[in-house]
């Protein structure tokens, strides 16, 4: 299936908001092994994520993400605040947000859904399980689910 003038589908644009370099590497590895062509952009704290999403400063020319993977435990602006600001912004709220965090706390899960997260995944401790989780998520979100187009 091609779009007008294109011979191949567009690459998925994914924003990973994660401050742990090890988890960033595992996520990159999982997406490399996956079947979906993607560009994985990384923001290492909440402020950087909000600048990326608002295309401010050095992020003026970045693409709009098709999907956001958001850790809750971030320096400066935490994941809950990023989620709240994102979902309060009419131009950004349609971007699906998957919380991918180490927290298993019921209050974090409930709060994430109250703030309109689209899914909540707990990061497995085992690296192989982590990669399996990201690949399963990738298959679901990019093979099964229809994502919204950018609304102007």
């Amino acid at each position: 299936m091609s779009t007008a003038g294109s011979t191949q589908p567009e690459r998925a644009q994914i924003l990973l908001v994660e401050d742990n370099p090890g988890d960033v590497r595992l996520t990159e590895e999982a997406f490399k092994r996956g079947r979906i062509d993607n560009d994985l952009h990384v923001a290492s704290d909440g402020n950087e994520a909000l600048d990326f999403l608002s295309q401010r400063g050095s992020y003026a020319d970045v693409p709009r993400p098709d999907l956001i993977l958001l850790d809750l435990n971030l320096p400066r602006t935490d994941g809950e605040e990023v989620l709240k600001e994102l979902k309060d912004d009419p131009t950004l709220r349609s971007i699906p947000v998957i919380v991918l965090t180490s927290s298993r706390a019921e209050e974090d899960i409930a709060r994430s859904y109250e703030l309109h997260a689209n899914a909540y995944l707990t990061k497995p401790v085992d690296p192989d399980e982590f990669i399996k989780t990201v690949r399963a998520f990738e298959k679901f979100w990019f093979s099964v689910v229809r994502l919204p187009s950018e609304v102007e």
Side-chain angles (χ1 to χ4, degrees):
M1 172 169 63
S2 65
T3 56
S6 171
T7 57
Q8 61 189 34
E10 285 188 32
R11 295 172 64 84
Q13 300 298 317
I14 302 167
L15 175 60
L16 172 63
V17 187
E18 173 61 68
D19 64 318
N20 181 322
D23 288 349
V24 170
R25 271 193 311 280
L26 284 173
T27 305
E28 289 170 338
E29 179 64 27
F31 280 117
K32 277 184 199 156
R33 292 186 193 179
R35 294 193 179 110
I36 307 301
D37 281 338
N38 68 79
D39 291 322
L40 185 66
H41 308 274
V42 179
S44 59
D45 65 48
N47 290 5
E48 197 177 320
L50 292 169
D51 286 347
F52 186 103
L53 291 163
S54 299
Q55 297 176 314
R56 289 188 294 245
S58 61
Y59 298 103
D61 295 324
V62 297
R64 173 188 167 96
D66 296 306
L67 191 72
I68 299 167
L69 289 173
L70 177 65
D71 188 12
L72 292 181
N73 305 309
L74 297 168
R76 303 194 318 166
T77 303
D78 70 16
E80 277 189 11
E81 185 58 31
V82 171
L83 185 56
K84 182 181 181 323
E85 288 195 35
L86 177 68
K87 294 303 182 176
D88 283 347
D89 185 328
T91 63
L92 299 173
R93 75 170 53 122
S94 66
I95 301 171
V97 177
I98 312 311
V99 172
L100 182 62
T101 189
S102 55
S103 174
R104 296 180 182 277
E106 285 299 323
E107 59 269 19
D108 286 342
I109 297 168
R111 182 77 179 134
S112 294
Y113 283 117
E114 285 169 11
L115 293 171
H116 306 288
N118 297 84
Y120 190 102
L121 299 174
T122 303
K123 295 176 191 173
V125 176
D126 177 79
D128 290 332
E129 287 302 313
F130 185 99
I131 288 173
K132 280 185 194 171
T133 297
V134 172
R135 294 204 48 214
F137 139 88
E138 175 196 41
K139 183 176 182 185
F140 176 75
W141 281 96
F142 291 106
S143 299
V144 178
V145 173
R146 288 198 53 186
L147 296 174
S149 299
E150 183 175 351
V151 179
E152 296 287 328

